Amino acid sequence: MKLTEIPRVKTLTKEQFLKDYLRPQKPVVIENYIHDWPAYSKWNFDYIREVAGDKTVPLYDNRPVDHKEGFNQPHATMKMRDYVDLLLKEPTKYRIFLWNVIKEVPELQKDFIYPDFGIPVMKGLPMLFFGGRDSYTFMHYDIDLANIFHFHFAGEKECILFPQSESKFLYKVPHSLITHESIDFSNPDFDKWPALKHASGFRTNLSHGEVLYMPEGYWHYMKYNTPGFSMSLRSVARNPLHLSKAFYNVLFMRYFDNGMRKWRGKKWIDWKNKKAIERTEKYLQ
C-alpha cells in the first residue's frame, strides 16, 4: 500500500484548520491541542477504574461477522474495573467500541472542553474506545460519514486511513461498512490481496494527548500497540454526496443487511465476502 505519513502540527487555529484540512479534506495530527484539558493529566486507567469501575461495558473482539449477530452487537460484557485489570495484565482482543461518555459516566464530561474547529460537533455523542495490546478494529468507515476528531489517551495506537476514493482497491464488502475481514492491514498479503498495492492512504501512530482529524467518510483501521483508549467527537458530513449516503446507511442499509442475515443466514455473509473479491478483481481487470 502507498501510505503517506499524516502531517503533524503542534497546534492549530480555527482558520488554519478550515483552510488547510477541512476544505481540502486532508487528515492531520495535532500534538498539543488538549494540554489544558483536565483529561490530559487525569485520564489514565487508574482514573477510569475509579470513576467507572461499577459500569458494565460492552466488549467486541476480532471474530468475523456472524449472521446470528445484530448490527454492532457486543460479543461479551464485563465490569469496567475487571476489563481495565485485564488490559493491564495481558494482551486481549476485547475492545470497547462506541461507549457514550455522557450517558454512562456524566462526570467525565467535566474533564474536557468541546473544541472549536469552526464546525459544530455533536455534543451528545462523545464516544470512548478501549483496546488491549495488538487488538484492532477491522478497516471500516463510520455509518454517518462524519468528520471525526479522535483524541487519544494512554499508550500508543497505529492508525491507517483511506479516503472513499480508494474503496475500489480495498475489497469493500457490499451492504456493509467494512472491507473483507481476512485482510491484515498492518501486514497485508499482496499475493492474496493484490489490489491493495494500488491503494493510496495515510498512516500515523498516536500517543497520549494527540488529536487525529479524520475527514468525512474516511476508512480507518486502528491497532493498539499498547493498551490504550481514545475519545471521538464527530461533526455532520458537509459534502451532499456523503450526507445522502449517511441517510441511506442509517435509514435503509443497516436494516436491509440485518433482514438478509436473518433470512439467508451464513449464505448472505459468504455471498458478500465473495462479491467483495469479485468486484475488486473486476475493477483491476
Side-chain angles (χ1 to χ4, degrees):
M1 300 180 292
K2 294 173 282 187
L3 299 179
T4 302
E5 287 293 323
I6 296 174
R8 287 175 164 265
V9 296
K10 293 298 182 183
T11 187
L12 199 61
T13 66
K14 175 171 59 178
E15 291 74 22
Q16 289 171 326
F17 171 73
L18 293 173
K19 176 179 178 290
D20 296 335
Y21 302 104
L22 180 73
R23 293 189 185 114
Q25 289 288 278
K26 294 180 179 179
V28 64
V29 174
I30 313 169
E31 295 179 340
N32 298 336
Y33 189 82
I34 68 170
H35 284 197
D36 59 344
W37 286 12
Y40 179 75
S41 57
K42 292 171 64 176
W43 282 21
N44 55 40
F45 285 114
D46 289 338
Y47 182 65
I48 295 296
R49 186 195 288 112
E50 176 186 337
V51 299
D54 289 335
K55 296 291 182 179
T56 299
V57 294
L59 302 176
Y60 302 81
D61 58 27
N62 302 333
R63 73 186 69 178
V65 171
D66 191 295
H67 67 279
K68 298 176 183 177
E69 298 171 352
F71 189 83
N72 281 345
Q73 180 178 327
H75 301 134
T77 60
M78 190 180 293
K79 290 291 186 182
M80 176 61 91
R81 67 165 60 88
D82 297 328
Y83 177 62
V84 168
D85 290 343
L86 176 63
L87 288 180
L88 299 178
K89 179 183 178 183
E90 60 191 27
T92 175
K93 298 299 183 183
Y94 279 132
R95 295 175 290 107
I96 296 178
F97 177 71
L98 289 174
W99 200 59
N100 192 308
V101 173
I102 293 178
K103 179 182 176 183
E104 301 295 340
V105 192
E107 65 186 278
L108 287 176
Q109 189 179 347
K110 302 174 185 177
D111 296 335
F112 66 89
I113 303 164
Y114 288 102
D116 181 9
F117 286 111
I119 54 174
V121 296
M122 302 182 206
K123 293 186 176 180
L125 294 174
M127 296 294 185
L128 286 178
F129 303 78
F130 290 73
R133 191 180 77 198
D134 294 333
S135 66
Y136 62 88
T137 64
F138 293 118
M139 182 67 75
H140 69 285
Y141 66 91
D142 288 6
I143 193 169
D144 58 356
L145 286 86
N147 294 279
I148 306 295
F149 300 97
H150 196 65
F151 305 82
H152 188 62
F153 299 93
E156 187 176 280
K157 175 191 285 188
E158 178 186 18
C159 307
I160 298 176
L161 312 181
F162 293 99
Q164 283 284 309
S165 60
E166 301 303 292
S167 298
K168 55 187 175 288
F169 299 123
L170 299 180
Y171 299 89
K172 179 186 182 302
V173 176
H175 309 294
S176 299
L177 309 172
I178 61 174
T179 62
H180 199 291
E181 295 164 300
S182 298
I183 300 173
D184 178 1
F185 276 90
S186 63
N187 185 30
D189 182 344
F190 294 121
D191 292 331
K192 188 174 182 179
W193 312 104
L196 294 180
K197 290 185 291 185
H198 303 278
S200 297
F202 303 88
R203 74 161 304 281
T204 196
N205 282 350
L206 289 182
S207 298
H208 178 85
E210 295 181 339
V211 185
L212 169 63
Y213 166 63
M214 292 185 283
E216 296 178 12
Y218 261 49
W219 292 92
H220 44 284
Y221 164 92
M222 307 284 193
K223 183 176 181 179
Y224 293 86
N225 296 329
T226 68
F229 64 98
S230 309
M231 179 180 74
S232 280
L233 297 175
R234 58 206 313 109
S235 180
V236 174
R238 302 160 71 87
N239 182 316
L241 179 61
H242 292 164
L243 199 56
S244 63
K245 191 172 183 180
F247 279 114
Y248 169 79
N249 289 342
V250 172
L251 300 177
F252 177 76
M253 185 275 291
R254 62 175 173 174
Y255 297 108
F256 174 74
D257 186 51
N258 278 341
M260 292 300 289
R261 291 189 200 190
K262 293 177 181 178
W263 178 39
R264 297 195 60 198
K266 188 174 183 300
K267 291 181 179 179
W268 173 243
I269 303 296
D270 292 343
W271 177 85
K272 292 201 301 176
N273 286 330
K274 180 181 177 183
K275 282 296 179 183
I277 297 172
E278 290 179 352
R279 291 179 180 181
T280 304
E281 291 180 345
K282 184 178 180 180
Y283 182 82
L284 283 183
Q285 294 169 1

